[in-house]
Structure formats: C-alpha cells, structure tokens
Amino acid sequence: MAAHPRQPEPMPRRLDYGFFGPDSPSWKVWTSPTALIGFQRAVVLEHFDPFLTAAVADSRGIYNDPYGRLDRTLAYFLTVAVADSRTAIEASEFLMRVHAKATGVEPISGQRYSANSPTSQLWIHITGWHSVLKCYEKYGPGLTPEEEERFWAECVTAAELQTCKPGDVPRSREEVREYYAEVRPRLCTSERANEGMHYLLHVPWDMGVKAWGGSRIVAPAAIATLPKWMRKLGGFDQPAVVDRAIMPAAKLAVKVIGSQIRPDTDAKGPIRTGMLAATGLLGPATSRMLAMHVRAEPPVRAETVTPAQARALYGKGAHAQLAAR
C-alpha cells in the first residue's frame, strides 16, 4: 500500500499583514533566494564596526553556536519584513533584551560598547537592508525606480523596531551613499574582526556539509558585490576572474531555486519551495518563518499597521496595561 504524502504542518493565522503587505518591495526582496547572499554580505560588513566586532568577539556566539546564531539573525530580519505586527514586535523586544546584556569595553579604543547603541544598530540595519537589495539587483530581477523609493521608505519603518534614531536612517540610494561616506573614517579591521569575517565567509566543515558547501558558492557571490576598498580592508578580496565567473552561476542558481514550485495541499495554489530548501543552509528558525509566510491564510485583518500602533497593542507596555485591568 502506498504511503500517504506527509501533510504540511498547519501554520498560525496572521493577525494582519504586518508593516508592509503583499504588494510591497520588502516582501519581494526579503523572500527571494538572493536574500541568502545579501545576508552573508551584511554579517561580514558588520565587523567593520569595531564596537560590534567587540560585542561579537566577547560573546563568542558565532563560534559557539554559529548555525543557530546566523539562523536566528536572518529569521529576525525576515520576521520584521513579512510577519504580522504582533510577531514582529515581540521579536523586536526579545532581541533588545538580549542585546541589553551585550556590553563591555572595545579593546583598541578603550571605549565602552553596547549592542543596543543607536549608532551600531543603524550600521546593522543599513548593511542588512542595503545588502539584500544590492544582491536582489545583482542576481535577481531588481526593483523599478518606484519600488526602490518605496523600499527605502519601508527600510525607515523597519528601523523603528530597533534603537535607531529615525532622522539618521537613509531614505534613498543617494542617502545610503552619503551614510557610507560619513561612517567610512571610523570603519576598521583588527585580528578579531578578520577572524569573524573570514569565519563567516568560509564556513568550516564542522558547521555541516550544507553550510560548508553553500558558503563556497554564496561567499564569492557576496564578495563580488562589495567595493574594492572594503574587500582589501577586510583581507578577503578575490580576482576579477572569480567575480566574472560567479555572476552567471549565482544568477542561474537563484533562477532555479526561485522557480521550484509544487502544489501544496493546504494552500490555494502552488507555493515556492526552493527558497525553503535553500534556507535550510542556515537553520530551522528562518525556514519556519518563511514557511509561515508562504503558506499563510489571509490574515484576520487584511491591513497593515505602523510599528507605533503595533507596539501600543502588543508591546511590553500594552501587556502591562492589560495585566493591571
């Protein structure tokens, strides 16, 4: 007797469309296979901030639990982009509580660092959102000028879930360039920064065959999108011939992954599954978040909300008010 096909696990129903909604460029960019390349690009760039390097090196998180740490980080970005507002707010508040414990002294300057510092949080936010867009343009279909304008507006909205100062968040491609020019003088490398960057680019064998093999494709693709000065500063430059070779290979991989579809018995039509498989390179939290997104039924309320509205409804302060009633 033939075995019955395994039924997908039921997914919780969204309360709303979160902050951006189904027609948003953020949904397109953050659920594309190119987001994997953009994410690796971003986590490498974070190490150019000496205070973030100190926080990462002191906690040893990427070395003690690299698979889990990277998985949870990408899952957080994806949650903010596509989850309902309650899930996103709860994830944001949890992350800030975790970051509140990450404090210490940056050894080169002797200055104190905090993972929740608005300056460091802005660097994380911009390198993340800019990197996924850059790779979506390089290896995916890209956005129209109108979509790009909206993408940067959505980037500003997403920054409200972190400690960034709203007025400091770039609102266009030109403002992103200005931001990088402004912060460049304080970017640097060190032994600990180089250790982190090279570890993330060239995943060791003990992280598993998928992660090891995937990094050998993703890392050159990520490096190829970076300016020469960053590549040389980080000591991970690669020959131009590698840049030229990786471009068509990465584009083909993205096209194949993005085109893999199958009928899903609990959905009203075919869904993308290639990205779900690819996300397995990083771990279960990201895979589950993406599965919740692509398999979701229409939300309870077919609307988007602002972070301020969501925080008032579901944030820690809102919970305290409800408990007091």
Side-chain angles (χ1 to χ4, degrees):
M1 182 181 293
H4 291 291
R6 184 179 177 181
Q7 299 298 308
E9 294 182 12
M11 294 294 171
R13 192 174 180 187
R14 285 189 176 114
L15 296 178
D16 50 43
Y17 279 129
F19 308 122
F20 309 123
D23 63 338
S24 68
S26 292
W27 278 29
K28 290 183 181 180
V29 172
W30 279 103
T31 61
S32 167
T34 57
L36 292 172
I37 306 173
F39 174 69
Q40 185 169 40
R41 183 186 195 270
V43 294
V44 169
L45 290 186
E46 286 178 13
H47 284 76
F48 285 121
D49 181 322
F51 299 102
L52 285 175
T53 288
V56 171
D58 287 349
S59 72
R60 304 301 294 176
I62 64 168
Y63 306 109
N64 296 332
D65 181 23
Y67 192 76
R69 185 64 176 266
L70 294 173
D71 176 37
R72 291 189 293 272
T73 302
L74 180 53
Y76 172 76
F77 276 113
L78 187 61
T79 297
V80 171
V82 305
D84 67 11
S85 60
R86 180 173 187 166
T87 303
I89 287 296
E90 289 177 349
S92 166
E93 293 192 342
F94 175 79
L95 185 63
M96 283 196 280
R97 289 195 298 273
V98 171
H99 281 169
K101 302 173 185 176
T103 60
V105 176
E106 196 283 307
I108 298 174
S109 66
Q111 298 180 46
R112 292 201 63 80
Y113 70 78
S114 167
N116 271 336
S117 157
T119 301
S120 292
Q121 284 291 305
L122 182 62
W123 176 247
I124 292 171
H125 186 69
I126 296 307
T127 53
W129 280 70
H130 175 252
S131 290
V132 294
L133 177 59
K134 182 79 174 179
C135 293
Y136 189 75
E137 292 174 336
K138 206 76 163 176
Y139 304 115
L143 298 177
T144 66
E146 294 76 18
E147 287 176 323
E148 185 182 331
E149 182 179 359
R150 184 175 169 188
F151 178 84
W152 290 118
E154 292 171 354
C155 174
V156 175
T157 297
E160 294 182 41
L161 275 73
Q162 294 169 246
T163 62
C164 310
K165 297 177 181 177
D168 292 342
V169 185
R171 297 169 181 269
S172 67
R173 185 183 295 258
E174 183 56 38
E175 288 188 12
V176 171
R177 291 195 190 100
E178 292 172 1
Y179 169 75
Y180 280 126
E182 178 188 342
V183 301
R184 183 172 176 177
R186 67 172 184 262
L187 302 181
C188 66
T189 57
S190 62
E191 288 183 4
R192 298 203 298 177
N194 286 339
E195 179 189 18
M197 286 189 283
H198 288 265
Y199 184 84
L200 291 168
L201 283 168
H202 308 295
V203 170
W205 178 262
D206 58 12
M207 276 185 68
V209 175
K210 281 187 178 181
W212 180 86
S215 76
R216 269 55 191 174
I217 300 171
V218 174
I223 293 170
T225 67
L226 289 166
K228 273 287 184 180
W229 69 267
M230 282 187 174
R231 292 156 62 149
K232 290 179 178 178
L233 183 62
F236 51 75
D237 198 8
Q238 62 190 16
V241 65
V242 176
D243 287 352
R244 290 193 294 269
I246 199 63
M247 293 288 180
K251 286 182 178 179
L252 178 61
V254 165
K255 187 175 182 180
V256 170
I257 291 170
S259 65
Q260 290 180 24
I261 58 173
R262 64 174 171 77
D264 205 341
T265 54
D266 69 344
K268 294 182 178 178
I271 63 167
R272 292 189 182 193
T273 58
M275 180 58 173
L276 291 177
T279 331
L281 294 172
L282 291 175
T286 308
S287 296
R288 178 167 175 77
M289 187 67 251
L290 190 60
M292 287 173 65
H293 172 67
V294 298
R295 295 177 185 166
E297 292 290 326
V300 175
R301 297 181 298 278
E303 63 183 14
T304 58
V305 299
T306 67
Q309 289 171 328
R311 193 171 284 111
L313 287 169
Y314 311 118
K316 216 165 38 170
H319 293 166
Q321 291 174 18
L322 288 172
R325 290 179 183 175

